[in-house]
Amino acid sequence: GENVEQHPSTLSVQEGDSAVIKCTYSDSASNYFPWYKQELGKRPQLIIDIRSNVGEKKDQRIAVTLNKTAKHFSLHITETQPEDSAVYFCAAIEANAGKSTFGDGTTLTVKP
Amino acid sequence: GAGVSQSPSNKVTEKGKDVELRCDPISGHTALYWYRQSLGQGLEFLIYFQGNSAPDKSGLPSDRFSAERTGGSVSTLTIQRTQQEDSAVYLCASSPGRFNYGYTFGSGTRLTVV
């Protein structure tokens, strides 16, 4: 089965700095890679996603890159703000089969 | 509906009792997923529905867990003879179409087994 490793488990940055979270996956059948933000006690919210036919996608301060050959993908947040503080989860999904594996999460703290 | 609805939001039950958790997906979403999230942990996949059928039940932790979906809409997750280790937040998500992009999560049911 699929195995997703997410690093780091915790990340603390100063407001305005960039944050990078990395995930690796093992199953080449995975072809969809979403990132979710989960604030304490709230539901996971999709913040950005990428499909396997694309190498990079950007949405304002958030970007995701995918390296299919190396089987890793990364979330980049620029100009971080305190409201970016949350737990971020990556996932590797085999879209047509509904198979999903989530990383263990990264707790991001942005210090004002 | 406008979003994925789950009920109840909180459930406290005694060890050994059965519980039913309900998920009402976004209208028209054909795919539905159940996950379990223990405190401070990631999301553990339980089961996936496409329409009323469950092509992947591989994540159900034991035969005490079962799920069904009727009418291609509402799903119920049933846990029989609950144990303390079943305590967790149970999250449901749905996505449109067959290719399962763009999962939207519900707010979850926090289950506490005492």
Side-chain angles (χ1 to χ4, degrees), chain A residues 31-32 36 38 41-46 49 51 89 93-105, chain B residues 3-4 33 35 37 40-43 45 48 55-56 58 91 98-107 110:
Chain A
N31 55 6
Y32 173 57
Y36 287 86
Q38 188 175 31
K42 303 281 185 66
R43 73 186 77 189
Q45 299 266 19
L46 178 68
D49 57 8
R51 302 185 191 184
F89 292 97
I93 296 175
E94 187 181 340
N96 59 332
K99 293 182 183 292
S100 59
T101 305
F102 281 74
D104 288 338
Chain B
V4 178
Y33 318 82
Y35 295 88
Q37 187 173 34
Q41 301 296 308
L43 281 74
F45 169 79
Y48 155 60
D56 191 352
S58 62
L91 287 162
R98 189 165 67 88
F99 292 102
N100 305 303
Y101 299 123
Y103 294 22
T104 300
F105 281 87
S107 296
R110 181 176 298 278

Side-chain angles (χ1 to χ4, degrees), chain B residues 30 32 48 65-66 85 91 93 98 103 108:
Chain B
T30 60
L32 185 148
Y48 155 60
F65 288 72
S66 63
E85 60 262 29
L91 287 162
R98 189 165 67 88
Y103 294 22

Side-chain angles (χ1 to χ4, degrees), chain B residues 9-110:
Chain B
S9 54
N10 280 285
K11 176 72 177 179
V12 180
T13 190
E14 292 182 352
K15 179 181 171 182
K17 295 284 178 78
D18 298 352
V19 294
E20 275 193 2
L21 312 180
R22 175 187 168 108
C23 173
D24 198 347
I26 291 174
S27 179
H29 278 197
T30 60
L32 185 148
Y33 318 82
W34 283 98
Y35 295 88
R36 178 168 71 174
Q37 187 173 34
S38 300
L39 189 63
Q41 301 296 308
L43 281 74
E44 176 190 2
F45 169 79
L46 298 179
I47 189 168
Y48 155 60
F49 287 94
Q50 183 60 254
N52 290 337
S53 65
D56 191 352
K57 303 179 183 179
S58 62
L60 294 176
S62 75
D63 59 8
R64 296 187 295 105
F65 288 72
S66 63
E68 65 175 15
R69 188 178 186 196
T70 55
S73 181
V74 172
S75 175
T76 55
L77 176 69
T78 302
I79 309 173
Q80 296 178 308
R81 305 182 302 282
T82 51
Q83 303 294 314
Q84 287 185 330
E85 60 262 29
D86 299 335
S87 296
V89 175
Y90 289 81
L91 287 162
C92 173
S94 69
S95 67
R98 189 165 67 88
F99 292 102
N100 305 303
Y101 299 123
Y103 294 22
T104 300
F105 281 87
S107 296
T109 294
R110 181 176 298 278

